[in-house]
Amino acid sequence: MNHDSALARTAFLDHDSPEVRRFVRQALRGAGTGDRERAVRLYYAVRDQIRYEIYGADLTRRGLTASQVVRTGKGLCIHKSVLYVSALRCVGIPGRLVFTDVRNHLSSEAVREFIGGDIFHYHALTSLRLDRWIRATPVFNRLLCRLYRIEPMEFDGTADSVYHPYDERGGTHMELIKEHGEFDDLPYDEVLAGLRREHPRIFVEGTDDRFVAGSLAADADAEAAGTGAPRTD
């Protein structure tokens, strides 16, 4: 099978940019040349070095380029998945974006109010080709998982790492509701239209590509303290 489309450089997946190349070079320092080891190293670099934050997300076309994600050092699932696919393509590993709707049983009261329920539409993860196509979700960083009392998702390059099925106490955390498909490039117009339709509260008033400000870490602190009131950074 020809995987050229899953290796291409695009406006969003700008894997030839200096920022992405530097990120990859630093992540792979001391690594071997095997694709599996490099895919795993890049997974953890994206998962833990790029902070997951839903509040204040920049969903402009520039904001969703891999190079800009490296510059800002944060983003939500779409930003982090864009960077991971770009990093994979930078070293010749085919990668694609996957979009789904998921129900998050462990979201805070503030987040549920923010998105308008417990279903998040157009949640992003990735698909990559090693000896076969497998899926990985380099999204929820270790610190955020500790704050929300969930186990961070691990990836060994041999099996899918897709959704948190349980929190650290054994409760259901996340479940798949619908899959929108796999994409060789970010389907920007479809994703933005879907987010505007399903989550109108998350956008800054008067804009259609920026999320309102806040802090997931502050939400977690507030919920743990029993106040129910989110703080902003």
Side-chain angles (χ1 to χ4, degrees):
M1 181 181 294
N2 188 336
H3 300 303
D4 288 350
S5 61
L7 287 167
R9 189 253 193 228
T10 76
F12 296 106
L13 305 170
D14 55 346
H15 60 71
D16 58 347
S17 65
E19 293 85 358
V20 174
R21 288 183 178 277
R22 182 173 64 252
F23 179 87
V24 169
R25 184 169 60 252
Q26 292 172 350
L28 296 183
R29 186 172 293 131
T33 59
D35 283 352
R36 180 167 287 109
E37 180 182 357
R38 293 190 297 173
V40 170
R41 288 280 291 266
L42 291 170
Y43 172 91
Y44 285 105
V46 174
R47 191 194 75 175
D48 292 328
Q49 294 177 27
I50 305 298
R51 179 166 59 91
Y52 178 78
E53 182 61 81
I54 188 171
Y55 292 109
D58 179 359
L59 274 78
T60 62
R61 289 182 177 273
R62 180 173 183 269
L64 281 167
T65 62
S67 55
Q68 183 64 9
V69 177
V70 175
R71 292 186 198 104
T72 61
K74 64 179 181 178
L76 50 81
C77 56
I78 306 172
H79 299 80
K80 298 187 70 167
S81 295
V82 162
L83 177 56
Y84 185 51
V85 170
S86 297
L88 291 169
R89 292 185 182 189
C90 185
V91 296
I93 300 173
R96 296 175 178 146
L97 295 165
V98 181
F99 285 92
T100 65
D101 298 341
V102 295
R103 175 176 282 114
N104 187 349
H105 295 274
L106 209 66
S107 56
S108 68
E109 181 179 346
V111 169
R112 289 190 294 272
E113 174 66 22
F114 180 59
I115 68 173
D118 63 355
I119 296 178
F120 190 82
H121 297 264
Y122 286 92
H123 169 67
L125 56 145
T126 69
S127 177
L128 62 149
R129 175 77 184 185
L130 294 171
D131 55 340
R132 60 186 176 86
W133 284 98
I134 56 176
R135 290 184 171 183
T137 312
V139 174
F140 306 105
N141 55 288
R142 185 174 295 279
L143 174 60
L144 185 76
C145 288
R146 187 160 63 245
L147 289 170
Y148 278 86
R149 300 177 184 176
I150 58 178
E151 294 292 336
M153 296 190 66
E154 310 297 344
F155 179 58
D156 65 3
T158 64
D160 290 342
S161 178
V162 180
Y163 305 106
H164 289 93
Y166 303 104
D167 62 27
E168 63 184 12
R169 293 163 293 185
T172 302
H173 175 228
M174 186 176 285
E175 63 176 307
L176 172 67
I177 302 298
K178 176 181 177 180
E179 181 166 323
H180 298 281
E182 292 194 10
F183 302 86
D184 289 328
D185 195 9
L186 175 63
Y188 182 80
D189 292 334
E190 177 184 343
V191 171
L192 266 288
L195 292 173
R196 294 181 196 118
R197 180 179 64 251
E198 303 292 347
H199 305 295
R201 300 179 189 176
I202 65 182
F203 291 94
V204 174
E205 186 174 356
T207 76
D208 59 6
D209 53 19
R210 291 184 182 273
F211 287 3
V212 299
S215 167
L216 282 172
D219 282 0
D221 288 345
E223 189 135 313
T227 66
R231 300 192 310 268
T232 57
D233 289 337

